[in-house]
Amino acid sequence: MGAAPAGGVEAPGKRGVSQIAPGVKYWNFDISASHGTTRAHVLDVDLRDTRTSVGLLYPGEVGARSAVSTLADGAGAVGGINGDFFNISETQHPGVEATGAPVGPAVARGHALKGAVPNGQRFGPAMPPGVTTEAVLGVGYDGRARLDSLRLEGQVRIGQTRLPLGGLNQYALPVGSVGAFTSDWGRTSRVRSTCGTDTNRGAPCSTDTHEVTVRAGRVVESAGTPGSGPVAAGSTVLVGREAGAQELRKLSIGDRVHVWHRLVSTESRMPLRFALGGYPVLRGGAPLPGLDPATSAVRTAAGISDDGRRLLLLSLDGSPEFRTGLTVAEVADTLRGLGAQDGFSLDGGGSSTLVSSATATLVARAPGAEAVTVRNNPSGGAERPVANGIGVFSRG
């Protein structure tokens, strides 16, 4: 850590190194960056250790939020950080409930929770050129971490009619499409899914909507506007907007409808056991073209090294003396300086949190402790409830 990574970011030696669990270490270091000195907190995870794994932290519902420390303790994790950007507010749609749902795809224990919203509907800073909301950081069934993309494939079959499925448990659906909501979505209103357009998140909500509930392969309910409340296990609520709504209006109670969906890894072709959204900043040891070199902020990111066998979870400190943070370009340089070949940016600002079982949010649990502790100082002064995160687990 003595040499400065390319790009001028100087990262002095590690401090506060502690063994959190088998294959899991915590440490921190200060970075001399373009806007001042910032402090980085790191969970260093050795995925070669068979006692160690990572997985999705989330509140049990896609349309919900919770603090990283609460999510980590509830799941029995020894550490973790906050994850994807999410639907945090709806100031442009007065009266519409913000869902709290994440932007990108999410997979928990091999189960596809949700697909990616249209690019124009995302929250968060601009992505590098050519990157889409389908980008994920994941771990495959081979135990290796990787950058990938997850595309939703699905269909609604009504007699001889085949409708492509436009979304799965998403706070925003493509214009003219039909989306599916399952019990994974939770109790949050589905109205937001019909607001905005594929290129303009703030565009008005559609006035041409319809939804039907399908149970045991038949339509059991029909409504002119999207509803709220839990979706019963085994049921699927189909929400349509514009052309999709017109197709759903043709259905009557008792009509047969078959719905199927899956998330497909488009780069590795490896089924992912865990995945969440964000956007890549480093590939093959090289920063992606077009990374913002000017806007500095408190940030959270993840780095992959050793051919996917090592995962570095990084969260910057939000305390006043370190709040200048890093630019996205500096995040890529910092991850590369830590030995990462690939890097992935996650939600930052007030969301940045790292927790561990010893003491962004980065959380970690100290050896022998019963609960995790927030290691960085969230910039808002307290943990912000977030949509999801990366949990570190140990059987040791």
Side-chain angles (χ1 to χ4, degrees), residues 194-196 204-210 224-226 240-242 245-246 249:
T194 58
C195 297
C205 299
S206 175
T207 57
D208 186 4
T209 65
H210 200 81
T225 57
R241 56 179 298 178
E242 297 88 32
Q246 294 162 28
R249 276 195 207 96

Side-chain angles (χ1 to χ4, degrees), residues 85-90 103 121-125 171 192 201:
F85 303 88
F86 57 93
N87 175 206
I88 191 171
S89 66
E90 281 303 320
V103 168
Q121 289 270 17
R122 71 183 292 273
F123 288 76
Y171 70 77
R192 176 59 184 85
R201 190 181 75 201

